[in-house]
Amino acid sequence: MKQLLRYLSVLLVLGCCVISRAAEEDEILFGSKEKDAAGLIAIIYDLKQTQARKPSNVSAGEYPDVIKEFLQKGWDELVLNRFFRITRPLYSTQIFIPQISANVAPKAYGVDNVMRPSAWVIHYKGQVSPPEDGTYRFVGYADDVLAVAVNNKTVCIGARPDMEMKSIWKSTDPQEGANAFNGNLVYGDWIPMKKDEPIDLDVLVGERPGGEFGAFLLFQKQGVTYGKDRHGKLVLPVFQLAKQNIPGKDDGRSPPFEKAGELWKQHK
């Protein structure tokens, strides 16, 4: 009996270690806490609270209105600054988050004790340039919303239909991208870019009701031939600023992807 109890105790410890490691790996998907880390600055906002930590009265129904206001006003941070903002940012070299629990985001920032996992947004921003001269477009999707801006102009929105973002921006490409969790990747606007010539890149992702979350940012270069998945959809490279593990596989939790031959460059 004692040996059995000892064996069960060891299994319990090992199980706890595995769960803890898995939780840490999920939190890292949102970025690094190190101040000197490379990557886009990622700031999280809780739209349910004001900066004074009072209820903002932003309901699930009003959540899309805040997102629309922010985008319509040219990604004006004054709109988001009305809400509770975590002053300590994360630093992210990619945005590729397979289906996970929405409460991982507050945990990643260390604020899950004061922020419920609903009605939050994360604003990523930085200056970047492509691996080589060419015409590129960003491709993405998130549940509930992902938006991309280049030099303060919205160039891509991938969101659930009930977010009703087509009044803000609509893709000129009628084809659907690859399946991405519970939606499809959306093709953004084509933009000429030059190597080592920085652009201002902003990305917004957000979760409306809580529950499950996923977000994906990839890119396509005009004139390049890409492979296709079993459904005939393009398999595109993930946007990355540094070599990093890309989580996910063909299990429905994330879109198919390929690793880019060369990384995008960050400008500080």
Side-chain angles (χ1 to χ4, degrees):
M1 179 62 73
K2 289 183 178 179
Q3 288 182 334
L4 177 60
L5 290 175
R6 189 178 301 114
Y7 176 69
L8 292 174
S9 177
V10 171
L11 286 180
L12 179 61
V13 171
L14 290 175
C16 290
C17 289
V18 170
I19 293 172
S20 177
R21 191 180 304 115
E24 290 176 0
E25 289 175 354
D26 282 349
E27 291 173 21
I28 291 173
L29 294 175
F30 289 91
S32 169
K33 295 179 180 179
E34 300 299 324
K35 291 184 178 180
D36 296 328
L40 302 173
I41 296 174
I43 300 170
I44 193 170
Y45 298 82
D46 184 359
L47 305 191
K48 302 182 299 298
Q49 306 180 62
T50 67
Q51 282 289 7
R53 297 282 317 283
K54 303 294 184 182
S56 66
N57 298 320
V58 171
S59 66
E62 294 165 331
Y63 177 86
D65 296 332
V66 177
I67 306 300
K68 291 176 185 177
E69 181 186 2
F70 174 64
L71 301 181
Q72 285 174 326
K73 291 184 176 180
W75 294 66
D76 187 352
E77 292 182 12
L78 290 177
V79 174
L80 297 182
N81 285 341
R82 302 198 302 259
F83 304 100
F84 181 48
R85 166 183 169 172
I86 307 308
T87 56
R88 184 182 63 193
L90 296 179
Y91 303 89
S92 181
T93 59
Q94 65 187 33
I95 301 169
F96 199 90
I97 305 171
Q99 177 189 1
I100 58 172
S101 172
N103 64 12
V104 176
K107 285 183 178 179
Y109 284 85
V111 293
D112 50 308
N113 60 328
V114 296
M115 181 186 295
R116 297 195 310 277
S118 62
W120 53 258
V121 296
I122 299 176
H123 182 196
Y124 300 84
K125 57 183 179 179
Q127 287 196 319
V128 304
S129 60
E132 55 188 15
D133 294 358
T135 300
Y136 294 81
R137 64 179 176 183
F138 291 103
V139 182
Y141 173 80
D143 175 3
D144 287 86
V145 64
L146 175 144
V148 183
V150 171
N151 297 331
N152 291 323
K153 179 184 177 183
T154 300
V155 297
C156 183
I157 297 180
R160 288 173 55 95
D162 55 9
M163 286 293 293
E164 299 181 346
M165 290 288 142
K166 289 186 177 180
S167 62
I168 305 298
W169 178 90
K170 186 176 180 180
S171 177
T172 57
D173 193 329
Q175 67 175 322
E176 284 187 333
N179 179 262
F181 172 24
N182 62 0
N184 291 85
L185 296 175
V186 175
Y187 296 100
D189 299 331
W190 290 108
I191 309 162
M193 301 185 197
K194 292 185 177 296
K195 181 179 180 179
D196 295 326
E197 187 172 296
I199 61 166
D200 291 324
L201 179 66
D202 290 83
V203 183
L204 186 80
V205 304
E207 172 60 33
R208 185 179 183 179
E212 301 298 312
F213 173 76
F216 314 97
L217 182 64
L218 303 91
F219 70 92
Q220 182 181 6
K221 184 184 179 187
Q222 204 169 73
V224 174
T225 300
Y226 296 96
K228 294 184 178 181
D229 66 11
R230 64 180 183 274
H231 303 294
K233 306 293 187 181
L234 291 178
V235 177
L236 299 173
V238 174
F239 170 83
Q240 284 188 304
L241 294 170
K243 288 184 178 181
Q244 183 180 339
N245 176 54
I246 301 174
K249 54 185 178 181
D250 192 11
D251 60 0
R253 297 176 60 241
S254 61
F257 62 87
E258 67 175 47
K259 292 185 178 181
E262 294 185 68
L263 300 170
W264 288 62
K265 181 178 178 180
Q266 180 182 11
H267 298 262
K268 294 186 177 181

